[in-house]
Amino acid sequence: MPGVCPVNSSLQLLLLLWATHNTMATNWLSLARQPLARAGTAPCGRLRGLTAGQLGVCRGRGEFMESVRKGAEMTIDECQHQFRYRRWNCSTTTRGVSVFGKVLSQGTREAAFVYALGAAAVAVAVTRGCSRGELQKCGCDRKVRGVSPEGFQWSGCSDNLSYGVAFSQSFVDEPERARGLSSGRSLMNLHNNEAGRKAILHNMRVECKCHGVSGSCELRTCWKVMPPFRRVGSVLKDRFDGATEARLSLVGGRPVLLPRDTLLKPPSPRDLLYLVPSPDFCQPDPPHGILGTRGRRCNGTSRLAPDACEVVCCGLGFQTGRAEVVQRCSCKFSWCCSVRCQQCRNIVLLHTCTE
Ligand SMILES: *[C@@H]1O[C@H](CO)[C@@H](O)[C@H](O)[C@H]1NC(C)=O
Ligand SMILES: *[C@@H]1O[C@H](CO)[C@@H](O)[C@H](O)[C@H]1NC(C)=O
Ligand SMILES: *[C@@H]1O[C@H](CO)[C@@H](O)[C@H](O)[C@H]1NC(C)=O
C-alpha cells in the first residue's frame, strides 16, 4: 500500500521530534554515572547526554564539569530522599543517558521538581567549588566586608552565589534556549530552573566564629553561606506540593505560562509550574520508569497525606512488621568535653505495601 508509507514515516518523524524535544534537557544528570578524569581535564568528547551547547560549555570551562557531576549526584540523592515515601520515589533506570527514564518526558509536577532541584544543585556545587578555591575562575565573595550593624566583622569570604547561578543558567538552561522559547515545555523548564536557584538565594544564612580568650567571643567574624542542600530540597518539595498547573497563552503576542485556573493569580517566580497532570504511578510501567508501589515502605501513622500507607499503596493494602533499630540513648555529658551514650535497641513498626 503506497499510501501508508509516507503517513507512517511522517508519524515516525513526529514521534522522533517529540521524543528528542521532550527528553533531552535533563540528560546531563547522567554525568552522575560517568567518571571524569581529573578536574580541569573533562573528556568532553566522551561524555554522553550533553547537548551541543553544553559540550561547548564543557570545552570552554572544563574545570567546572566536576561540579556539574557532583550536582547531578546531589540531584538524584536529594530527589530520592524527599520522595522516599511517595508513589513515585525517583527510581532510576539502569541503562541509557536518561536517569529517570521517561517519567520526566512530560511536563508533570515531578518534572518540575527535578528540573528545579537540578538547576539548584549545579549552582550550589559550583559555588562551593568557588568558595573552597577549587576553581580558578571564581572565588569567594569579598564584597561583603567591614563591620555589620549587629557589630560583627564580615570575614571577607562569603559564598559568591552569583557565579554559581550564572553558570547554572548557562549550562542547565542551555537546551531550553537552544530549543526556542515558544514551546510551553521550554518556558516551563526555564521557570522551574529559575525557581530552583531562587530557593538557594532566599535561604542564605550567616555563619560566625568566635575569637578571643578561651572562646569569650570578644570578636566575632561572620560570612554568608548557602543553606544545606537538604534545606533546598525541602523548600522545593513544599513548592512541589503547591505547584500550579499552567498553560501556554499569548500575552501581547508573547508566549507566557498562566495558571489554568483563571481565578488563581499569576505564579510567583518561586512557584513550580507544570503543564500536565501526573499519572497515578500505581501500576508498574517499567518502560516509562514507573515501578509501581508493591513492597514499598510507607508511613503508617499519617492519614490521607501523600506518604500515608493508604495513599502510597493505592488502597491495595499494606503489612505491618517489626524491626529492631539500634539508637544512641541515655547520653551523659562528661567534663570536659565528651558525650557518652549507651546503645539502645528499640522495636519499631515497619509498614510496607502488600506485594
Ligand atoms: C562574584 O561573581 C560575580 C559573577 O562572576 C563576579 O562578577 C563578582 O565579581 C564576584 N564577586 C566577588 C566579590 O568576587
Ligand atoms: C523505589 O521503589 C521501588 C519499587 O517500589 C523500589 O524497588 C526501589 O528500591 C525504590 N527506590 C528508592 C531509591 O527508594
Ligand atoms: C509519619 O507521619 C507522621 C504524621 O504525619 C509524622 O509525624 C512522622 O514523622 C512520619 N514518619 C516518618 C518516618 O516520616
Side-chain angles (χ1 to χ4, degrees), residues 115-116 119-120 172-173 176 188-197:
Y115 277 73
V172 181
D173 295 0
E176 317 305 335
M188 169 186 151
N189 293 348
L190 281 176
H191 176 95
N192 294 323
N193 290 352
E194 206 51 41
R197 292 182 287 254

Side-chain angles (χ1 to χ4, degrees), residues 146-148 150-156 207-223:
V147 178
S148 81
E150 295 86 0
F152 59 73
Q153 178 82 31
W154 286 110
S155 82
E207 265 180 14
C208 297
K209 198 163 122 187
C210 281
H211 309 268
V213 195
S214 62
S216 64
C217 217
E218 274 160 58
L219 180 67
R220 220 155 45 111
T221 53
C222 305
W223 56 94

Side-chain angles (χ1 to χ4, degrees), residues 42-55:
C44 302
R46 275 192 284 119
L47 296 180
R48 295 179 309 125
L50 302 187
T51 61
Q54 288 173 330
L55 281 174

Side-chain angles (χ1 to χ4, degrees), residues 304-327:
L304 296 177
D307 64 348
C309 287
E310 288 83 356
V311 178
V312 172
C313 307
C314 302
L316 296 176
F318 60 95
Q319 298 154 338
T320 304
R322 282 161 205 283
E324 193 181 71
V325 292
V326 180
Q327 284 167 326

Side-chain angles (χ1 to χ4, degrees), residues 128-147:
R128 272 186 199 151
C130 296
S131 293
R132 289 180 186 159
E134 293 163 2
L135 300 167
Q136 278 168 11
K137 290 207 171 87
C138 59
C140 44
D141 193 342
R142 299 193 181 282
K143 278 195 210 109
V144 191
R145 57 188 315 133
V147 178

Side-chain angles (χ1 to χ4, degrees), residues 84-85 297 299-303 305 307:
R84 64 202 183 285
Y85 294 135
R297 256 193 90 177
N299 186 331
T301 48
S302 82
R303 293 273 162 265
D307 64 348

